[in-house]
C-alpha cells in the first residue's frame, strides 16, 4: 500500500524526535522516583522505596506546598472567571467596531514574555513599589503593605497571566449562544439579569468549564511567576521541583513530585473531557 | 429593542479589567526611562541610557542572539516535521490517527517543569548536557504541538475536491501539496508558527534546566537577574521586548487576521 508507506515516511521523523527527547526521558523518571537519595552520597541505585511518594502526603512541609498549590489554582481560576466574563461579554455583545481593538488588547499580554509580565508585577508590588508608594502618598496606609512573597502576590500575578486564556475561551462560548434564544426570553418578559442567569450562563457552561480547567492546570504547573513573585521561600509544587533538582540535587524526591504533578494535570484534563462529552450528549 | 447589549456597569468593569491587563506593561516601559539607578515610578528624569547599556552589553546581546536562533530554528524544524506528520494524519495514511495526534499534542499537557527535569536527567545520563543541540531539540518538543494544532485545524477547513482536481490534471502528491494544499493552509500555519516562535522565545521552565553557561537566553537572563536584584537595564530590555511583541502582533494581525486563530 503506497499511502501507508508515504504516511510512515511523513510521520516518522517527528515520532523519532518525540520518542528520543520526550517519551523516553519521561519514562526514565519512573525508576528515579523510586530510588533513595542519601545526602552527601547521592542517589542509591541498589534499593527501591516508596518513601518519595509517601513524603508528599505525610511530610508537613510537602503537604503544605501541595495544598497551597491547589488553593492557588482554585482561587486564580475563580478570579479569572469573575474578571473574564464581563470582558468576554463586552467583546462579543458590545459595539462591533470595538471588537478587534479589545481582542488585540487581550491577546497582547498573552503574547508578551512571561518573565517581563512577572517583572512588571514586581515593580508594582514590592515594598517600595508603585502600589505601596501610591497608597502611602494618598494617605491610606502608613507603612508598606506586604504584597509579594505571599498569596496576594501570586494571586495577582497569576490571575493577570492566565486571564487572557479565560477571556478567549469565554468569547468562543458566547459566540455560540444563539441570539434568538435570548431574544425569545426577553420577549416573554424576562428581565435582563434573568435572561443572563437562565439562558446565557447555562448555555456558556461548556466554555466556563473548559476555561476553568485550562487556567487551573496552568496555574498548578506554573514555575516562573511563582518563583519571581513568591521568591525562594514561598513555594509551590513547580518551584519545589525546581529546587529539588537544582539546589538540593535530590532527584528522587523531585521526580516523585513531578509525577504527582503530571498525573494530577492529566487526570483533571481527562475528567473534564469526559464531563464535556457527557454534557454534549445531554444537550 | 430586543437585542441585549452590555450595560454601563458591565462595560465599565470590563474596561477596568482590560486596563488591569496592560498595567504591568505600562509600568515596565515607564521604569526603563528613569535616570535613577533603581526602579522608580513615576520616572525621575528621562533618559535613554539604560537602552544604551543594553545594546552595548555583551551578555544581553548574546542572550538575545541565542533566543532568536533557538526560536527561529525550533519553529522551522517544527514546521517541517509537524506539517508532514499532520498531513499524513489528516489524509488517514496511517492507522491509529487519534492516538498519534494525542502523542504529538502531549507536550502541551505535561507541565513544562516536568519536561524540564526529565530532559535534564536524560541528557545528563546520555552525557549531552549543556550542548546547544540539546536545547534546540527540547524547543522542538515544546513548539511542535502549536504547529500540529494549527496544521490539523487548517487542513480540516480545506476542500479535498481541489486536491483531487490537481491530481486528475496530472500533478503528483508533492506537487499537489506544494501548489494547492500549502497555500490554502498558509494563514493558519503562519499563526501556528507565530505561537511556536513566541513559546520558544519566552520559555523558562525547560530551558533553565538545559542551558549551558554560554547558552543563556533572554528570559533566563531576566529571570535570574531579578533574583539578584533588579536595575533599570532589565526594564529597558523588557521594554524592547514589549515593543517587538506589539509590532509582531500588529503585523501578524494585518497579514493573517491573527486573532481568529488564537
Amino acid at each position: 500500500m503506497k499511502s501507508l508507506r508515504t504516511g510512515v515516511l511523513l510521520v516518522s521523523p517527528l515520532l523519532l524526535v518525540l520518542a528520543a527527547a520526550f517519551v523516553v526521558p519521561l519514562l526514565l523518571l519512573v525508576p528515579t522516583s523510586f530510588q533513595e537519595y542519601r545526602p552527601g552520597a547521592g542517589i542509591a541505585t541498589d534499593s527501591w522505596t516508596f518513601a518519595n511518594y509517601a513524603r508528599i502526603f505525610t511530610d508537613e512541609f510537602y503537604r503544605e506546598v501541595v495544598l497551597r498549590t491547589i488553593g492557588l489554582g482554585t482561587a486564580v481560576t475563580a478570579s479569572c472567571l469573575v474578571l473574564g466574563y464581563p470582558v468576554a461579554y463586552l467583546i462579543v455583545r458590545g459595539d462591533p467596531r470595538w471588537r478587534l481593538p479589545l481582542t488585540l488588547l487581550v491577546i497582547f499580554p498573552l503574547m508578551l514574555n512571561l518573565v517581563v509580565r512577572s517583572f512588571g508585577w514586581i515593580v508594582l508590588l514590592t515594598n517600595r513599589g508603585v502600589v505601596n508608594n501610591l497608597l502611602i502618598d494618598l494617605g491610606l496606609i502608613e507603612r508598606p503593605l506586604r504584597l509579594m512573597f505571599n498569596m496576594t502576590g501570586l494571586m495577582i500575578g497569576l490571575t493577570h497571566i492566565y486571564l487572557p486564556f479565560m477571556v478567549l475561551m469565554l468569547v468562543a462560548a458566547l459566540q455560540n449562544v444563539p441570539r434568538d434564544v435570548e431574544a425569545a426570553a426577553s420577549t416573554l418578559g424576562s428581565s435582563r439579569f434573568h435572561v443572563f442567569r437562565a439562558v446565557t450562563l447555562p448555555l456558556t457552561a461548556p466554555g466556563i468549564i473548559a476555561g476553568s480547567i485550562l487556567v487551573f492546570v496552568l496555574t498548578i504547573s506554573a514555575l516562573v511567576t511563582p518563583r519571581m513573585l513568591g521568591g525562594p521561600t514561598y513555594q509551590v509544587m513547580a518551584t519545589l521541583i525546581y529546587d529539588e533538582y537544582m539546589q538540593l540535587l535530590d532527584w528522587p524526591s523531585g521526580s516523585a513530585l513531578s509525577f504527582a504533578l503530571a498525573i494530577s494535570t492529566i487526570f483533571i484534563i481527562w475528567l473534564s473531557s469526559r464531563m464535556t462529552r457527557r454534557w454534549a450528549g445531554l444537550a | 429593542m430586543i437585542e441585549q447589549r452590555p450595560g454601563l456597569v458591565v462595560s465599565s468593569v470590563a474596561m477596568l479589567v482590560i486596563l488591569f491587563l496592560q498595567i504591568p506593561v505600562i509600568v515596565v516601559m515607564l521604569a526603563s526611562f528613569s535616570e535613577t539607578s533603581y526602579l522608580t515610578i513615576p520616572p525621575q528624569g528621562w533618559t535613554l541610557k539604560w537602552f544604551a547599556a543594553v545594546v552595548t552589553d555583551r551578555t544581553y546581546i548574546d542572550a538575545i542572539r541565542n533566543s532568536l536562533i533557538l526560536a527561529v530554528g525550533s519553529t522551522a524544524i517544527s514546521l517541517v516535521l509537524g506539517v508532514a506528520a499532520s498531513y499524513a494524519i489528516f489524509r488517514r495514511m496511517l492507522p491509529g490517527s487519534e492516538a498519534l495526534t494525542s502523542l504529538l499534542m502531549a507536550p502541551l499537557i505535561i507541565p513544562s517543569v516536568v519536561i524540564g527535569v526529565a530532559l535534564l536527567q536524560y541528557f545528563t545520563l546520555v552525557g549531552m548536557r549543556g550542548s546547544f543541540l540539546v536545547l534546540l531539540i527540547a524547543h522542538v518538543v515544546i513548539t511542535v504541538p502549536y504547529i500540529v494544532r494549527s496544521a490539523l485545524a487548517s487542513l480540516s477547513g480545506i476542500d479535498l475536491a481541489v486536491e483531487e482536481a490537481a491530481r486528475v490534471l496530472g500533478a503528483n502528491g508533492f506537487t499537489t501539496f506544494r501548489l494547492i494544499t500549502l497555500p490554502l493552509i498558509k494563514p493558519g500555519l503562519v499563526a501556528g508558527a507565530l505561537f511556536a516562535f513566541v513559546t520558544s522565545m519566552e520559555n523558562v521552565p525547560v530551558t533553565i534546566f538545559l542551558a549551558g553557561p554560554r547558552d543563556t537566553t533572554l528570559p533566563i537572563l531576566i529571570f535570574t537577574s531579578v533574583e539578584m536584584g533588579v536595575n533599570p537595564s532589565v526594564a529597558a530590555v523588557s521594554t524592547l521586548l514589549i515593543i517587538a511583541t506589539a509590532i509582531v502582533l500588529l503585523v501578524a494581525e494585518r497579514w493573517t487576521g491573527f486573532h481568529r486563530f488564537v
Side-chain angles (χ1 to χ4, degrees), chain B residues 53-136:
Chain B
V54 167
V55 293
T56 52
D57 188 337
R58 270 239 70 90
T59 15
Y60 278 124
I61 302 295
D62 286 347
I64 293 170
R65 199 200 53 212
N66 285 338
S67 286
L68 284 174
I69 294 174
L70 267 181
V72 172
S74 60
T75 303
I77 297 170
S78 291
L79 259 178
V80 175
L81 301 185
V83 171
S86 307
Y87 190 69
I89 290 171
F90 170 70
R91 296 302 306 259
R92 308 206 172 281
M93 292 174 177
L94 295 158
S97 60
E98 214 166 294
L100 259 176
T101 314
S102 306
L103 175 65
L104 302 189
M105 299 302 286
L108 268 190
I109 295 168
I110 308 286
S112 297
V113 65
V114 177
I115 299 178
V117 297
L119 294 183
L120 167 69
Q121 180 188 293
Y122 174 72
F123 285 118
T124 310
L125 283 175
V126 187
M128 284 175 71
R129 190 182 167 188
S131 102
F132 196 75
L133 181 68
V134 159
L135 216 48
L136 188 64

Side-chain angles (χ1 to χ4, degrees), chain A residues 79-176:
Chain A
S79 56
C80 282
L81 193 55
V82 171
L83 297 177
Y85 211 107
V87 177
Y89 198 79
L90 181 66
I91 288 177
V92 178
R93 294 296 154 84
D95 192 330
R97 277 170 303 172
W98 281 95
R99 201 177 165 141
L100 184 59
L102 290 181
T103 310
L104 289 179
L105 280 174
V106 171
I107 299 175
F108 176 61
L110 186 72
M111 302 292 289
L112 186 61
N113 205 299
L114 196 62
V115 183
V116 173
R117 282 182 278 167
S118 307
F119 172 60
W121 282 111
I122 294 179
V123 178
L124 281 153
L125 299 177
T126 47
N127 278 348
R128 319 211 97 252
V130 182
V131 173
N132 270 320
N133 281 350
L134 194 70
L135 290 175
I136 291 172
D137 289 347
L138 289 173
L140 291 172
I141 53 169
E142 284 184 3
R143 214 179 292 205
L145 296 173
R146 207 176 140 81
L147 300 170
M148 258 175 70
F149 307 124
N150 58 19
M151 195 60 142
T152 318
L154 293 197
M155 275 272 310
I156 297 175
L158 288 166
T159 301
H160 178 261
I161 276 152
Y162 297 126
L163 187 55
F165 289 104
M166 181 67 94
V167 172
L168 294 172
M169 288 292 216
L170 293 175
V171 163
L174 273 167
Q175 274 170 341
N176 288 334

